[in-house]
Amino acid sequence: MSTFKAPKGTYDLIPPESAKYLAVREAIAAPLRNSGYGYIETPGFENVELFARGVGESTDIVTKEMYAFETKGGDQLALRPEGTASVLRAALEANLHKAGNLPVKLWYSGSYYRYERPQKGRYRHFSQVGAEAIGAEDPALDAELIILADQAYRSLGLRDFRILLNSLGDQECRPVYRAALQDFLRGLDLDEDTLRRAEINPLRVLDDKRDDVQKQLVGAPLLRDYLCDACKAYHEEVRELITEAGVAFEDDPKLVRGLDYYTRTTFEFVHDGLGSQSAVGGGGRYDGLSEMLGGPALPSVGWALGVDRTVLALEAEGVSLELPAATSVFAVSLGEEARRVLFAKVTELRKLGVAADFSYGAKGLKGAMKNANRSGARYTVVAGERDLAEGVVQLKDMESGEQVAVGVNEIVAELETRLG
Ligand code: ATP
Ligand code: MG
């Protein structure tokens, strides 16, 4: 061990565990790639103002959780706490919305940073795969994203997750509701911070995790009773489309999210095996965000799924992913000539797409066979001077333990056949 440890609230992905993270990212991305979403990558940091405006000045993310800093050149930057604001910024900057092909559909995968109190499932550095569909108001698009996330989780073998769905209304109906909720909140016994929050962003009080607050919220007015006809019809169609797709969901009239930009469709994926860090992903519609960033009106919808918590959910359900073997063939050579011959064979196998590895470093047969075992390879090829003199190598099936001599010139073809 060195003097250094990973910073508080972070952890390293290390083989063989790290393969699970790659597989989760891949499983979430696959349905997106298959549905017209193009890959986008943005910087790990942005101007802090992008998040202040894009995520919301009064949100926990901006007030408490952001890694904001000044550079030596005097720029005010922040490590990205989430993906949507950056992706929309990049799409606007590249004028993707002017290419005449709306919605612009994008997916991303990367690291995010929040200065949170670390606990299981809550880290200061975590990883998300996300999708954004920019520039179209169409209930089928909201439905598409929910269906694709459901498909991603199911393809991983997850079963114990639930989809919570709500509508947050729009610029027409939400202000009326907001005022009604504020009236209600002013009459409650709340601490000063929460009362202040009720003035700035009353909807977020609904999301308060504390029991004493939740108890007082029992009779709170619900947005669902205030939705305008357009929002009601829109929401009804989203519900119908995902129902027709066979995706189960629960209406959650109190669901709000920790970001200010959401309008209409809002959803969260929760997993019942994760304790208090139960949200594995979330998203919704953000029709006003583009204008908040100085862009044109571009109604949009998206989600972000947490990779770390998805891995925890897999563990909670006891799902083991079928990961492809890292190594199929392991070569063990004894002596200088065998070393050269087998090294060449390994190179040849790799070119053919066979996952092959080699016993490096001077070590005896015993140590080399230990390496072969640890590699998880299905076959080991062993050769020494005597084998080569006879023009053969030894091919060992690591499952059955059976060993046969195969001609040096035939070994590559033989392995290809055996590995199918
Ligand atoms: P929570 O309510 O648990 O704080 P959130 O609403 O802040 O979650 P989002 O901003 O919607 O989360 O991010 C989407 C997903 O990213 C979450 O559902 C979760 O899986 C993951 N995520 C968010 N913050 C963290 C974190 N600090 N550590 C690990 N995963 C996280
Ligand atoms: Mg949070």
Side-chain angles (χ1 to χ4, degrees):
M1 205 164 65
S2 83
T3 332
F4 298 104
K5 287 198 172 146
K8 185 173 174 191
T10 72
Y11 63 104
D12 304 303
L13 299 182
I14 289 169
E17 289 287 297
S18 51
K20 268 198 258 181
Y21 287 75
L22 277 182
V24 165
R25 290 192 186 107
E26 188 46 49
I28 300 174
L32 298 170
R33 283 207 186 98
N34 197 32
S35 310
Y37 290 75
Y39 179 66
I40 184 169
E41 202 167 309
T42 64
F45 51 84
E46 297 273 355
N47 282 307
V48 68
E49 196 54 28
L50 173 72
F51 300 121
R53 274 209 239 157
V55 177
E57 299 274 11
S58 74
T59 59
D60 282 351
I61 292 181
V62 170
T63 56
K64 297 184 199 149
E65 298 171 4
M66 205 148 61
Y67 282 90
F69 58 99
E70 186 178 308
T71 65
K72 290 189 169 58
D75 294 330
Q76 304 291 333
L77 303 178
L79 300 186
R80 58 183 183 189
E82 60 101 50
T84 304
S86 308
V87 168
L88 188 53
R89 192 269 306 140
L92 291 169
E93 190 171 333
N95 279 319
L96 295 185
H97 58 294
K98 289 188 185 155
N101 202 11
L102 295 176
V104 175
K105 299 208 286 187
L106 302 167
W107 76 273
Y108 58 87
S109 173
S111 293
Y112 296 85
Y113 308 86
R114 295 184 193 177
Y115 190 72
E116 303 209 59
R117 195 166 68 77
Q119 43 201 301
K120 188 165 189 200
R122 190 176 297 286
Y123 310 106
R124 291 181 172 177
H125 165 264
F126 59 99
S127 138
Q128 292 184 336
V129 176
E132 315 289 350
I134 299 165
E137 190 184 276
D138 183 340
L141 197 54
D142 308 42
E144 165 175 294
L145 279 162
I146 293 170
I147 293 164
L148 292 177
D150 180 79
Q151 193 186 327
Y153 287 137
R154 288 194 184 282
S155 78
L156 283 165
L158 284 177
R159 293 290 172 267
D160 301 340
F161 66 90
R162 292 177 291 131
I163 301 174
L164 310 178
L165 184 66
N166 193 19
S167 171
L168 292 181
D170 64 6
Q171 298 324 313
E172 194 191 318
C173 53
R174 190 152 48 167
V176 184
Y177 169 69
R178 191 178 184 277
L181 180 62
Q182 254 167 354
D183 273 349
F184 174 84
L185 295 175
R186 282 180 193 129
L188 301 184
D189 178 24
L190 298 169
D191 61 274
E192 219 166 281
D193 260 7
T194 312
L195 282 173
R196 201 172 312 124
R197 178 176 290 173
E199 292 310 312
I200 305 168
N201 194 342
L203 268 71
R204 291 195 43 253
V205 179
L206 295 178
D207 199 28
D208 201 307
K209 303 280 190 291
R210 292 170 297 180
D211 272 348
D212 57 314
V213 176
Q214 279 303 326
K215 261 188 218 130
Q216 297 193 65
L217 291 173
V218 168
L222 295 175
L223 188 44
R224 135 177 109 188
D225 302 320
Y226 287 76
L227 291 182
C228 60
D229 287 343
C231 283
K232 231 184 264 172
Y234 194 97
H235 195 56
E236 199 38 52
E237 197 174 336
V238 173
R239 295 175 77 260
E240 280 167 20
L241 286 167
I242 55 181
T243 304
E244 276 165 32
V247 172
F249 62 91
E250 296 167 24
D251 292 305
D252 181 352
K254 277 204 187 133
L255 179 72
V256 294
R257 316 255 4 276
L259 300 89
D260 277 355
Y261 49 60
Y262 286 112
T263 51
R264 288 194 171 170
T265 314
T266 307
F267 48 86
E268 195 158 88
F269 296 84
V270 294
H271 193 277
D272 293 325
L274 294 185
S276 50
Q277 267 63 251
S278 63
V280 286
R285 188 154 268 287
Y286 49 94
D287 292 341
L289 183 57
S290 174
E291 285 154 299
M292 283 161 71
L293 300 183
L298 284 173
S300 307
V301 56
W303 51 240
L305 310 187
V307 175
D308 312 73
R309 287 188 198 169
T310 302
V311 171
L312 290 174
L314 287 167
E315 285 164 5
E317 279 197 45
V319 178
S320 49
L321 300 176
E322 276 181 39
L323 302 172
T327 305
S328 301
V329 177
F330 198 91
V332 170
S333 62
L334 301 162
E336 189 53 29
E337 192 196 346
R339 202 167 89 91
R340 289 181 177 263
V341 170
L342 288 194
F343 188 70
K345 296 294 176 197
V346 164
T347 303
E348 205 179 325
L349 284 165
R350 288 173 176 168
K351 277 189 192 151
L352 292 166
V354 175
D357 206 355
F358 189 74
S359 173
Y360 292 101
K363 52 173 84 86
L365 181 61
K366 214 169 139 199
M369 286 311 287
K370 217 184 247 174
N371 283 7
N373 263 321
R374 280 216 195 106
S375 77
R378 175 67 203 276
Y379 295 102
T380 299
V381 178
V382 188
E385 317 280 286
R386 207 179 313 151
D387 298 305
L388 293 184
E390 291 169 21
V392 299
V393 297
Q394 302 297 325
L395 173 59
K396 182 171 181 189
D397 182 328
M398 301 299 274
E399 256 169 43
S400 66
E402 180 195 339
Q403 187 169 313
V404 290
V406 178
V408 177
N409 297 327
E410 280 79 56
I411 185 63
V412 169
E414 174 68 22
L415 282 165
E416 265 203 300
T417 315
R418 288 198 184 209
L419 289 163

